[in-house]
Amino acid sequence: MHFLRNLIILSLICIAIKINLCVPTIPSSLKTLPIDGHFDFNQVHHAAKDFGNRYSFLPSAVLHPKSASDIATTVKHIWEMGPGSHLTVAARGHGHSLQGQAQAHRGVVINMESLQGPKMKVHTGNFPYVDVSGSELWINILHETLKHGLAPKSWTDYLHLTVGGTLSNAGISGQAFRHGPQISNVRQLEVVTGKGEVVNCSEKQNSDLFYSVLGGLGQFGIITRARISLEPAPKMVKWIRVLYTDFATFAKDQEMLISGESTFDYIEGFVIINRTGLLNNWRSSFNSNDSAQASHFKSDGRTLFCLELAKYFNPEEMAIVNQETMTSLSQLNHIPSTLFQSQVPYIEFLDRVHISEIKLRSKGLWEVPHPWLNLLIPRSNIHIFGQQVFGNILTNTSNGPILIYPVNKSKWDNRTSVVLPEEDVFYLVAFLSSAAPSSTGSDGLEHILSQNKRILELCEIDGLGVKQYLPHYSTNGEWRSHFGPQWEAFVHRKSTYDPLAILAPGQRIFQKAAPLSL
Ligand code: FAD
């Protein structure tokens, strides 16, 4: 009996030792680092969650930095420990990743939101800009810059995301066709590299690091400050939606609009699948120009394509803007009775998704699993993609918004790390699904994931030249194929700025202490 008990205890100790050998242990030296902020070794559960609500990796510690120097001290310490420590570091912005990208299994998560850099500073003049912390939320930047009658040029649809989080990807919305993504509108960065060095970089200074970090999935450095270009902010927005039954006509109109400089200030689109009571399903802020006519419009469950446009203006320009808008709209081939218009303050337009967030939160529907799939599709293949996906795969229902709109590649800088399709115009198609928790039906996680898989297989089999946006892969082979000819440069940048692969382990591109392989 005694022998058996000792054997069990011995086995448990062996298992514990084995686990300890292959996972990093948090060194007590972290506790003695000279920093202004602090480490938390107990309250770490929050850092194992994200918006995707599907992946959860518990860190061993969360750093709440007060300054960039706290971050540099911590990363440098881990760098000096060498590859033997296995310890990794993930910057966590607002935690709106979808697949654990801001998490660090048994590593250190940096809670960027506790960073207290110099105050946000707006510079007016001919080429206005704002200097912000990498942890700043875009909504706060909007509020601050508007005090000076200015605003950033390029946005995401949702503004409660951090500068570091969106610049690590690209930051795409309806303004990107004209201004490029957010990464095309940054002038300078302060970055903490994987060696714990604090480096300023821009197009002129340390330019390779600058372009590596933009769209770099957090692999090359932690963004602690950014200088963002601004433009005069309008006061009002004319917000327009029109409907199409035919995908080809919808796409043709979108492409015509993004090719002209003086049309709209924002161009997006989305898909409406199987909605009969169409008007009631729309946001109440929208009225048809001719409501009697529109109420006769029946979609009969057909898939519809909605073009969403916005024109910025100031109240004194109202008459001329109305005229310009009517001229631009007259060139479109939408269903005539489906012209929906609304006029809202600029800030309300930009912060529109937050209103949905509040509604969803109140119903407990914000913190559900989000198996999102974002794809960048070359223009020449968007029709075959549309036919197959909306004709064969998603015929009955959708589990969330499906955005679809083209952008001009000429507005993207090919020196950044972001991976794009090869053509001059490509579409962002975003399947923004929410899964009903514990459902096994068509609104359940398994079903949505299998649909996503079918969509990806279609892209692969038909060789559509599609790239994932907010990419997520598990194997080295998949990442190589995602980067294609850019893989070698990406690995080279990694070996220059984060040779031990300490940073952004949640992206699962490189493994710490594994040799960087070409
Ligand atoms: P986190 O999830 O905290 O981090 C994301 C990645 O960036 C991680 O790898 C992390 O380590 C790294 N990172 C975070 N901070 C830094 C930093 N300071 N320096 C270096 N690396 C860092 N994207 C669009 O382009 N357009 C949209 O319209 C859009 N809409 C969205 C709407 C919603 C509701 C959600 C949830 C996401 C949306 N996204 C959109 C995606 C979003 O841009 C990314 O998920 C972004 O990474 C989230 O920012 P975050 O601050 O929450 O980052």
Side-chain angles (χ1 to χ4, degrees), residues 15 50 64 70 84-85 88 98 215 232 244 263 269 294 310 323 353 358 365 375 419 425 427 433 502:
I15 290 168
D50 60 27
H64 298 274
D70 283 359
S85 81
T88 56
L98 296 151
Y244 296 76
T263 52
Q323 206 170 26
V353 175
I358 294 167
L365 296 176
L375 302 174
V419 178
V425 171
Y427 280 72
S433 308
I502 290 170

XYZ file of all heavy atoms in Angstrom, residues 15 50 64 70 84-85 88 98 215 232 244 263 269 294 310 323 353 358 365 375 419 425 427 433 502:
183
model
N 6.086 13.654 -13.793
C 5.258 14.374 -14.779
C 5.491 15.868 -14.630
O 5.702 16.584 -15.606
C 3.757 14.022 -14.592
C 3.523 12.580 -15.023
C 2.873 14.948 -15.426
C 2.173 12.031 -14.638
N -9.590 36.726 -25.879
C -9.665 37.745 -26.928
C -11.059 37.742 -27.545
O -11.917 36.935 -27.181
C -8.543 37.587 -27.968
C -8.568 36.247 -28.679
O -9.660 35.645 -28.790
O -7.497 35.801 -29.129
N 2.377 45.356 -16.521
C 1.622 46.604 -16.665
C 2.659 47.729 -16.724
O 3.075 48.254 -15.693
C 0.677 46.804 -15.469
C -0.347 45.706 -15.359
N -1.542 45.725 -16.024
C -0.323 44.536 -14.680
C -2.221 44.632 -15.771
N -1.507 43.886 -14.949
N 10.007 50.543 -19.527
C 9.614 49.312 -18.798
C 9.551 48.123 -19.759
O 9.974 47.003 -19.434
C 8.215 49.477 -18.174
C 8.238 50.331 -16.909
O 9.338 50.776 -16.511
O 7.151 50.552 -16.330
N 17.673 29.483 -24.134
C 17.364 28.446 -23.156
C 16.118 28.729 -22.342
O 15.474 27.812 -21.821
N 15.734 29.982 -22.215
C 14.628 30.312 -21.298
C 13.245 29.989 -21.870
O 12.295 29.818 -21.129
C 14.661 31.801 -20.963
O 14.065 32.545 -21.988
N 8.559 33.956 -23.853
C 8.153 34.831 -24.959
C 7.349 36.017 -24.416
O 6.927 36.004 -23.256
C 7.283 34.066 -25.977
O 6.177 33.511 -25.266
C 8.060 32.993 -26.684
N -8.473 37.473 -33.031
C -9.492 36.436 -33.232
C -9.013 35.042 -32.888
O -9.799 34.158 -32.593
C -9.955 36.486 -34.689
C -10.642 37.828 -34.975
C -10.496 38.251 -36.404
C -12.090 37.764 -34.538
N 2.329 46.300 -40.689
C 1.759 45.057 -41.229
C 2.574 43.839 -40.836
O 2.404 42.768 -41.417
N -8.079 67.857 -42.616
C -9.196 68.605 -42.040
C -10.410 67.678 -41.890
O -10.719 66.911 -42.805
C -9.460 69.697 -43.073
C -8.177 69.836 -43.815
C -7.553 68.470 -43.836
N -28.512 45.893 -54.952
C -28.383 45.221 -56.254
C -28.815 43.761 -56.068
O -28.571 43.170 -55.014
C -26.915 45.190 -56.709
C -26.312 46.546 -56.962
C -25.926 47.365 -55.909
C -26.108 47.007 -58.261
C -25.362 48.606 -56.140
C -25.541 48.249 -58.500
C -25.170 49.040 -57.427
O -24.618 50.273 -57.654
N -15.366 61.043 -56.319
C -16.715 60.498 -56.112
C -17.093 60.591 -54.637
O -17.504 61.645 -54.163
C -16.813 59.054 -56.627
O -15.748 58.288 -56.055
C -16.737 59.000 -58.127
N -19.292 47.768 -49.067
C -20.447 47.030 -49.545
C -20.640 45.820 -48.665
O -19.705 45.407 -47.964
N -40.233 51.909 -51.810
C -39.315 50.936 -51.208
C -40.072 49.850 -50.462
O -39.658 48.694 -50.451
C -38.367 51.650 -50.255
N -20.290 57.034 -48.532
C -20.401 58.220 -47.688
C -19.705 59.387 -48.355
O -18.678 59.222 -49.035
C -19.777 57.955 -46.323
N -25.804 68.112 -54.961
C -25.764 68.032 -56.418
C -24.713 67.009 -56.891
O -24.989 66.158 -57.732
C -25.410 69.414 -56.959
C -25.930 69.633 -58.345
C -25.747 71.102 -58.718
O -24.864 71.781 -58.189
N -26.564 71.585 -59.609
N -19.995 51.254 -35.490
C -20.054 49.863 -35.032
C -20.208 49.793 -33.509
O -20.747 48.826 -32.966
C -18.807 49.081 -35.516
C -18.782 47.671 -34.963
C -18.771 49.045 -37.042
N -22.858 48.041 -28.337
C -23.625 48.273 -27.116
C -24.887 47.403 -27.117
O -25.211 46.745 -26.119
C -23.976 49.775 -26.977
C -22.686 50.568 -26.759
C -24.972 50.030 -25.847
C -22.830 52.068 -26.912
N -24.512 39.060 -26.459
C -24.109 38.463 -27.739
C -22.760 38.976 -28.249
O -22.367 38.701 -29.378
C -25.189 38.734 -28.805
C -26.548 38.082 -28.537
C -27.573 38.491 -29.578
C -26.397 36.563 -28.512
N -10.604 37.791 -46.240
C -9.821 37.420 -47.420
C -9.582 38.619 -48.327
O -10.441 39.508 -48.413
C -10.585 36.353 -48.221
C -10.929 35.065 -47.467
C -11.815 34.174 -48.324
C -9.670 34.316 -47.058
N 0.990 41.152 -46.708
C 0.974 40.270 -47.886
C -0.325 40.500 -48.666
O -1.417 40.404 -48.099
C 1.072 38.787 -47.453
C 0.994 37.861 -48.663
C 2.369 38.555 -46.696
N -6.096 45.920 -58.363
C -7.302 46.104 -57.554
C -7.613 44.763 -56.907
O -7.552 43.720 -57.568
C -8.501 46.549 -58.434
C -9.803 46.525 -57.648
C -8.249 47.949 -58.995
N -10.192 42.856 -53.643
C -11.355 43.027 -52.756
C -11.035 42.535 -51.352
O -10.365 41.510 -51.193
C -12.539 42.193 -53.267
C -13.294 42.827 -54.412
C -12.741 42.895 -55.681
C -14.572 43.349 -54.217
C -13.439 43.485 -56.733
C -15.274 43.931 -55.258
C -14.704 43.994 -56.514
O -15.395 44.572 -57.546
N -18.583 36.344 -38.724
C -19.601 35.475 -38.110
C -19.524 35.462 -36.590
O -18.441 35.546 -36.009
C -19.409 34.036 -38.585
O -19.349 33.986 -39.976
N 11.274 36.126 -29.674
C 10.644 36.399 -28.375
C 9.238 36.988 -28.572
O 8.330 36.713 -27.799
C 11.546 37.385 -27.575
C 12.830 36.672 -27.143
C 10.809 37.967 -26.358
C 13.893 37.604 -26.567
